[in-house]
Amino acid sequence: MPRYKILIEFKGSRYNGWQKQPNGDTVEGCIESALQRILRQPVDIIGQGRTDSGVHAEGQVAHFDFPETLDNNRLLYALLGVLPHDIGVWDMEEVDPQFHARFDASSRQYRYQIARRPKPLLKDISEMVLDDLDIAAMKGCAQKILGIHNFDSFTKPDNENPDSTCEVMQSEFNSVEGILTYRIEANRFVRHLVRRLVGTMIQVGKGKRTVDDFFDMIDNPSKMKNGHGAAAKGLILEKVEYKKSSKSS
């Protein structure tokens, strides 16, 4: 059966995350409903991973199977007319039937946006922090995150991902035009990891925790150490990389 890979951008402000659930609208649920309306039969999509309520994405990846050959451009155009304004499927291709959006992913990249002055146009996709921040200390913490670590200090218990070990390939802060951006790329992420890393680094920047405190949370991981969570609205999934070609032969 043909398999199709889709790339999705969405503003997560009014959704209860990506993954379907009994109560509340989700991004996955909205896309499945739109595909069923267009294709006239149920379609089950598989995402590369879930995002929490209020989190956004520019490059969410999913796949679905359909028993007929689809015209990519026609389906993308039809989705444009059916999906809500805050969800867009912006690319689609037929892929190898063995491709899996979640299990074939080699890394995911997120950014977190911190507004350092009022930014009305970015209000819904950034967290405003007007306090003085020790940016050098925060950058030192970001460097500490690089490499392979157990991130128990920055996550909640998760039955789906009991192991909190992740390999981080990119972790850095940059500031442009009143926005302090934290960007992180890793082979995998555990529940609430990015938001808790960012929230704790902001506390270091404010002087509420020390750099040594942060380093201890990395070097001596424990869920009892309770990393501080930043607001969901500042977090954006930028892209997902794959370890092998997804193209259909």
Side-chain angles (χ1 to χ4, degrees):
M1 183 180 295
R3 176 161 292 184
Y4 298 91
K5 172 185 174 185
I6 55 176
L7 298 182
I8 306 148
E9 180 169 328
F10 61 84
K11 183 178 178 182
S13 304
R14 70 184 187 94
Y15 295 100
N16 290 350
W18 164 265
Q19 193 170 28
K20 282 186 299 184
Q21 48 189 279
N23 300 312
D25 290 338
T26 66
V27 179
E28 182 182 43
C30 284
I31 296 173
E32 287 189 350
S33 295
L35 286 171
Q36 180 172 349
R37 180 176 170 184
I38 295 166
L39 300 175
R40 305 302 177 96
Q41 66 181 70
V43 176
D44 181 31
I45 64 172
I46 307 295
Q48 63 80 28
R50 65 189 183 193
T51 55
D52 292 332
S53 177
V55 174
H56 321 289
E58 291 176 347
Q60 171 73 320
V61 180
H63 76 259
F64 67 92
D65 297 333
F66 194 73
E68 302 172 15
T69 299
L70 298 174
D71 183 311
N72 296 353
N73 291 330
R74 288 185 65 182
L75 184 57
L76 290 175
Y77 187 77
L79 285 168
L80 185 63
V82 173
L83 284 169
H85 69 280
D86 46 11
I87 300 176
V89 178
W90 57 271
D91 196 17
M92 173 180 165
E93 63 175 330
E94 185 176 350
V95 293
D96 188 288
Q98 300 303 311
F99 169 79
H100 197 285
R102 178 181 178 186
F103 298 131
D104 288 346
S106 58
S107 71
R108 285 91 168 163
Q109 181 172 302
Y110 285 87
R111 76 173 182 270
Y112 193 94
Q113 299 186 152
I114 304 166
R116 302 293 288 130
R117 65 169 176 81
K119 285 276 192 179
L121 294 179
L122 300 181
K123 181 174 71 72
D124 294 336
I125 56 170
S126 64
E127 177 70 1
M128 188 166 66
V129 179
L130 301 181
D131 312 63
D132 290 334
L133 293 176
D134 185 340
I135 303 297
M138 294 171 67
K139 287 185 175 181
C141 293
Q143 286 296 301
K144 179 67 174 177
I145 293 167
L146 289 167
I148 299 174
H149 301 285
N150 179 327
F151 288 102
D152 269 352
S153 301
F154 301 92
T155 187
K156 286 185 175 181
D158 187 343
N159 292 332
E160 291 187 16
N161 293 293
D163 179 9
S164 299
T165 302
C166 307
E167 181 180 5
V168 178
M169 293 81 84
Q170 181 181 190
S171 173
E172 62 183 10
F173 280 100
N174 289 290
S175 185
V176 178
E177 296 182 351
I179 289 286
L180 178 63
T181 299
Y182 174 67
R183 184 168 280 108
I184 183 170
E185 180 183 1
N187 67 325
R188 64 191 292 267
F189 288 92
V190 289
R191 190 179 183 194
H192 296 173
L193 176 57
V194 182
R195 289 164 54 194
R196 288 185 172 221
L197 286 170
V198 172
T200 308
M201 286 190 284
I202 290 174
Q203 286 198 320
V204 171
K206 291 180 178 181
K208 294 183 177 181
R209 298 196 194 202
T210 67
V211 172
D212 287 342
D213 291 336
F214 187 89
F215 279 29
D216 177 69
M217 295 175 78
I218 297 287
D219 292 332
N220 301 290
S222 168
K223 287 187 170 65
M224 302 301 292
K225 292 184 177 177
N226 195 27
H228 183 76
K233 68 177 184 175
L235 185 58
I236 300 166
L237 172 66
E238 288 191 305
K239 64 180 181 178
V240 183
E241 299 287 353
Y242 287 88
K243 57 192 174 186
K244 62 184 179 182
S245 174
S246 62
K247 295 283 187 181
S248 177
S249 57

